[in-house]
Amino acid sequence: MDSPLHQFEVKVLMPLHMAGFDISITNSAVYMGLAVFMTLLLFVAGTAKQSLVPGRLQCLVEMSYEFVANMLKENVGAEGKKYFPFVASVFFFILFGNLIGMIPYSFTFTSQLILTFGLASLVFVIVTVIGFIRHGVKFFKLFMPEGAPILMAPILIPIELISYLSRPVSLSVRLFANMMAGHTMLKVFAMFTVLLGMYGVSTVLLNSVLIGFEVLVAFLQAYVFSILTCLYLSDAIHMH
Amino acid sequence: MPKKSQNNLTFKGTAMKVSADMLAAIMVGAGLGVAFDKHFDTYPWALIIGFIFGSAAGLLNVYRSLCKMGYGLGSKKTKEKDTNG
């Protein structure tokens, strides 16, 4: 029997080397493309008719649009509107990655630490650049709490700096650990089903509950990732 | 975020978030220390200092994220707990 971690293996489907870089097309890359394509398909199909009384698909698209827009409005405020495309792309990319991973025999690309770390670093760099554009040198005030005595600076500044730098790490580790733990658990219980023979019915029941739970986690983690993006944006814009 | 009933699921979410915050800061602090050590050949010292600062930053992260969830000092939830037990 395969190990429960076998499902996370990245396989090269089409070797490709360009200018000294290995940019081979892997199963991870294929599923990422699929996630982008599915998001595009949902939105194109949902907004094709644009009827006044929305159908089911249009309703879904409008609701998901409003969900992200409200999240941005509540956490960042009116200034957050122009960053809607960024937050929405991050949210739908992760959501579709998590949900496609729930289909049996598919690959969950959000269970790869390097991918979640790449996404979180992208968020981190964009938020920092926005902060510098809006506040210039004043952005460094984020690392020195207001009203603190100047003598405390050698201790406070490194602590605040490490706390700021740890954001992409905690953001990526959270998404990665949740997806990886959930999928490993499902696989382990599925193996119990095979090993237990007749009594495997009990683990089948347990697994069906766990799958419902995993779908919830898939939504929740996409939500958590994008709400933290909103909070970091709000920090960079309002500086507190 | 936990609001009404502190059931198992929200508790797991809180624990997951807080532990990731703590771990990430320690990793970044120790990592910066090791990088500094490699560059300037001062082996254990920067690692030790980085680990201490990282731990402090981790506790700060944990405190901040708990404050955001409504568990901060003097918040409603802490008071309720104090009067009950």
Side-chain angles (χ1 to χ4, degrees), chain A residues 168-193:
Chain A
V169 179
S170 74
L171 200 59
S172 56
V173 166
R174 196 174 302 134
L175 176 61
F176 152 76
N178 268 294
M179 296 321 291
M180 173 126 172
H183 283 261
T184 312
M185 197 163 66
L186 284 182
K187 188 71 185 279
V188 167
F189 279 109
M191 281 161 86
F192 283 165
T193 311

Side-chain angles (χ1 to χ4, degrees), chain B residues 50-61:
Chain B
F51 184 80
I52 292 170
F53 275 123
S55 313
L59 284 175
L60 185 71
N61 275 351

Side-chain angles (χ1 to χ4, degrees), chain A residues 47-74:
Chain A
T47 53
K49 266 215 232 141
Q50 296 193 350
S51 50
L52 200 60
V53 182
R56 263 178 294 187
L57 201 60
Q58 196 184 339
C59 224
L60 178 72
V61 169
E62 282 174 6
M63 269 164 71
S64 50
Y65 172 88
E66 261 164 34
F67 178 70
V68 180
N70 278 336
M71 183 162 72
L72 209 55
K73 203 163 72 186
E74 275 164 28

Side-chain angles (χ1 to χ4, degrees), chain B residues 39-52:
Chain B
H39 206 264
F40 294 100
D41 213 18
T42 52
Y43 174 52
W45 296 106
L47 173 62
I48 292 169
I49 294 167
F51 184 80
I52 292 170

Side-chain angles (χ1 to χ4, degrees), chain B:
Chain B
M1 308 292 118
K3 275 232 170 105
K4 274 179 196 161
S5 60
Q6 181 75 26
N7 60 30
N8 219 0
L9 194 70
T10 51
F11 183 68
K12 192 195 157 205
T14 314
M16 200 79 189
K17 185 185 172 346
V18 166
S19 55
D21 279 343
M22 178 98 209
L23 259 178
I26 295 177
M27 269 158 66
V28 169
L32 282 179
V34 168
F36 189 89
D37 273 340
K38 275 220 172 125
H39 206 264
F40 294 100
D41 213 18
T42 52
Y43 174 52
W45 296 106
L47 173 62
I48 292 169
I49 294 167
F51 184 80
I52 292 170
F53 275 123
S55 313
L59 284 175
L60 185 71
N61 275 351
V62 168
Y63 178 69
R64 277 192 184 146
S65 50
L66 285 181
C67 275
K68 257 177 210 150
M69 290 175 200
Y71 288 104
L73 275 179
S75 70
K76 215 175 168 188
K77 262 182 196 161
T78 345
K79 268 180 194 159
E80 264 171 27
K81 221 177 187 177
D82 285 346
T83 48
N84 286 342

